[in-house]
Amino acid sequence: MPAKSYKSLQPKKSLGQNFLTDPWWIQRIVSAIGLDHDERVLEIGPGKGVLTEPLLSHANQVFAVEIDSRMVGHLEERFADAPNLRILHEDFLKLDLAGQIGPGPLRIVGNLPYHVTSGIIGAVLDAIRRNHEGAEDGPRITGFDIMIQKEVGQRICSPHGNKVYGVLSVLANLLCDVRIALDVPPKAFSPPPKVQSSILHFHPLPAMRYPLADWDLFRAIVRCAFNQRRKMLRNSLAGSASPLRDGELEHIGSDLLERRPESLSPREFAELSNRIHGGRGE
Ligand code: SAM
């Protein structure tokens, strides 16, 4: 694409467009992601394609999912000769992974707008959970690397007992090993974000860390508990937004209910959820 139109792709704040521009950092990020040549990779939010280009030379096939039509037009021209790239003009949150990508191993990577981070992590965790439950129609997620606000990354990796421990820390722990793979400073981007960033690496476990009778119930309990994180679970789960049925709590004699959510380990959340599920006799 001619230099002039490349430059005219002005960042849209509403789409969280902080582009990676520093070649040294781009190379470090690609090494931290660590791809194999036989892998399929889905990149969420490729933007102008600065990460897409090295991904294409490190992976067997790349799917680039981009919401902004200006970027899609640019990518189509820039990578017109790349046989191993498929550009999908889509919102990742609405993407039909099974229909568009199909079965087989898949790595997911993305430098994403920070305001959609939680939704996108939730969607990828959901795909991993479906893998654990044996769904065969969609791809099998073998790794997920996402650029994230550093503090959010620390929160997700946090163990229980910590005040930043929350919903995503619990859900991610059930499904994956999670670690911060690389810290990335604002100067690596243009425009530079106001916050420090990190690449967070999710490595899906072969099976859920603890057996769960009902993932939806478990997730709803965790969300409800952390919505009122200063309350004991017995009180937050008795509220109007509770996923529990009328009177259900009265039959659960568990000390776990007398604690605040940040003190419960992921295993204890799983235990409580299984107990409530067991009480339903379904
Ligand atoms: N990966 C590029 C880079 O590192 O320079 C662009 C990063 S920019 C922070 C995020 C990109 O994600 C933008 O191109 C934006 O249009 C795109 N995007 C935002 N929301 C999206 C969504 N829901 N689905 C797909 N792409 C999205």
Side-chain angles (χ1 to χ4, degrees):
M1 176 171 258
K4 190 161 166 276
S5 59
Y6 180 87
K7 286 254 161 64
S8 74
L9 295 172
Q10 290 302 325
K12 274 192 195 166
K13 217 171 170 189
S14 62
L15 291 178
Q17 291 177 339
N18 298 92
F19 298 110
L20 282 164
T21 44
D22 184 324
W24 188 80
W25 277 104
I26 292 168
Q27 201 237 314
R28 286 205 66 191
I29 289 163
V30 174
S31 315
I33 293 172
L35 293 169
D36 282 333
H37 285 283
D38 60 352
E39 287 187 294
R40 294 190 312 159
V41 179
L42 183 150
E43 184 187 8
I44 312 173
K48 298 178 192 175
V50 290
L51 275 179
T52 320
E53 186 165 306
L55 293 179
L56 282 168
S57 58
H58 284 79
N60 180 20
Q61 188 178 13
V62 178
F63 300 90
V65 181
E66 174 57 60
I67 198 169
D68 183 345
S69 55
R70 299 172 311 150
M71 300 297 157
V72 169
H74 168 74
L75 292 165
E76 281 168 350
E77 287 194 42
R78 178 170 178 179
F79 298 111
D81 298 329
N84 57 340
L85 174 66
R86 227 179 94 203
I87 300 164
L88 300 166
H89 182 196
E90 299 253 10
D91 175 346
F92 178 76
L93 291 171
K94 297 184 184 150
L95 183 73
D96 168 15
L97 269 179
Q100 295 274 20
I101 311 296
L106 181 75
R107 292 279 301 269
I108 300 184
V109 307
N111 168 26
L112 291 166
Y114 294 156
H115 62 273
V116 297
T117 302
S118 300
I120 286 186
I121 293 177
V124 175
L125 288 180
D126 222 43
I128 295 171
R129 191 261 310 170
R130 281 172 44 78
N131 292 160
H132 284 148
E133 290 178 355
E136 284 176 2
D137 51 344
R140 184 170 55 77
I141 316 298
T142 52
F144 174 37
D145 291 85
I146 179 173
M147 183 84 75
I148 194 169
Q149 189 176 333
K150 184 173 178 174
E151 282 169 15
V152 178
Q154 288 170 335
R155 236 182 272 158
I156 295 173
C157 294
S158 165
H160 66 286
N162 191 310
K163 69 177 191 313
V164 298
Y165 174 71
V167 175
L168 282 180
S169 337
V170 180
L171 302 186
N173 180 278
L174 252 282
L175 304 168
C176 301
D177 283 328
V178 192
R179 67 182 166 84
I180 290 181
L182 184 70
D183 289 330
V184 184
K187 69 174 185 192
F189 305 84
S190 174
K194 291 195 177 68
V195 293
Q196 298 287 328
S197 304
S198 302
I199 297 271
L200 195 62
H201 176 73
F202 294 76
H203 180 73
L205 300 168
M208 276 189 210
R209 200 178 295 276
Y210 312 110
L212 263 191
D214 181 341
W215 170 267
D216 290 336
L217 175 66
F218 166 75
R219 185 176 50 188
I221 289 172
V222 174
R223 281 187 179 152
C224 178
F226 280 103
N227 261 342
Q228 293 175 294
R229 61 185 303 143
R230 300 195 56 77
K231 285 193 178 172
M232 287 188 306
L233 265 74
R234 187 174 289 287
N235 295 330
S236 51
L237 291 176
S240 57
S242 173
L244 270 49
R245 297 172 186 168
D246 281 350
E248 208 163 32
L249 267 184
E250 289 152 30
H251 308 291
I252 310 286
S254 169
D255 292 350
L256 299 173
L257 289 170
E258 317 307 331
R259 287 166 42 189
R260 289 183 177 162
E262 71 193 36
S263 79
L264 265 71
S265 67
R267 185 183 55 72
E268 288 172 321
F269 270 112
E271 190 184 310
L272 179 64
S273 153
N274 286 344
R275 211 135 150 196
I276 293 171
H277 179 86
R280 290 181 176 180
E282 288 167 351

